[in-house]
Amino acid sequence: MRIPVVAGNWKMFTTASEAVALVRSLKALVRDAAGVEIAVCPPSVNLIPAAEELRDSAIRLGGQNMHWEDEGAFTGEVSAKMLKEAGCHFVIVGHSERRQYFGETDETVNRKVRKAFSAGLAPILCVGETLQERESGRTEAVVKTQLEGGLKGFMADELKTLVVAYEPVWAIGTGKTATPEQAQDVHHFIRTWFEKTFGPAAADGLRIQYGGSVKPDNAKVLMSQPDIDGALVGGASLKADGFAAIIRAAVS
Ligand code: PGA
């Protein structure tokens, strides 16, 4: 039995006071939620205020990105250790917006995944194809390349806390969600690749989130697919009641 994991990716939204208010509302709404792991990923400058507000809550905290080096002259970057000390459990790695706008490659993603594990953070590794790649029939090839690159050099027992997020780029922030069948097909492909690469136990335990325009009204049908173990939610995670509804959809 895989416990679903629902994470909110707040992207570059919320000031510190807004982040605290959002966390406070969410906490009250999901206090009784059981059988689901919940996380919020605020902008890095708001992690510590959010962590303070989450002190008496089971909601976990995650970073949205990090550098692969321990420390150094990397203006504007945050390290794994900084995220850890701020109270993070998760870190999103290789989000398509980072790949698209900030030059992230499978190689840098691989280094980040490695550093996340060594710092005791659970990486949420994002993969997914563009519309053009889907329309030219390359979805599986693209996802496979991203998995091979991002997870190069790992042994199965190092990946116990890994979460993979399948996020078709064409579905992110567009209001266009993959159909449950389209999503399930790729999730199944990811689990099968994992099984071939890391063995059946690792594949069976791997949690694969779906992301891309997840909303309260489509969350349930997506997460009831056999290989969909939760959601990575952008826009809809910025409203406490909507995000709480998505969390409830993961449980039922
Ligand atoms: P969205 O974003 O829910 O706003 O489509 C998802 C994501 O980018 O993680």
Side-chain angles (χ1 to χ4, degrees), residues 168-187:
V169 179
W170 49 272
I172 295 176
T174 58
K176 261 198 237 166
T177 322
T179 65
E181 295 73 28
Q182 283 174 323
Q184 166 58 26
D185 282 351
V186 182
H187 281 236

Side-chain angles (χ1 to χ4, degrees), residues 47-64:
L47 286 168
I48 290 171
E52 276 162 18
E53 187 60 38
L54 285 175
R55 209 173 292 156
D56 57 346
S57 163
I59 300 171
R60 295 194 192 271
L61 199 62
Q64 297 178 10

Side-chain angles (χ1 to χ4, degrees), residues 9 11 95-97 167 171-175 211-215 232-236:
N9 173 11
K11 309 192 180 186
H95 190 279
S96 63
E97 286 150 16
E167 299 203 306
I172 295 176
T174 58
S213 298
V214 175
K215 304 277 183 278
L232 183 56
V233 186

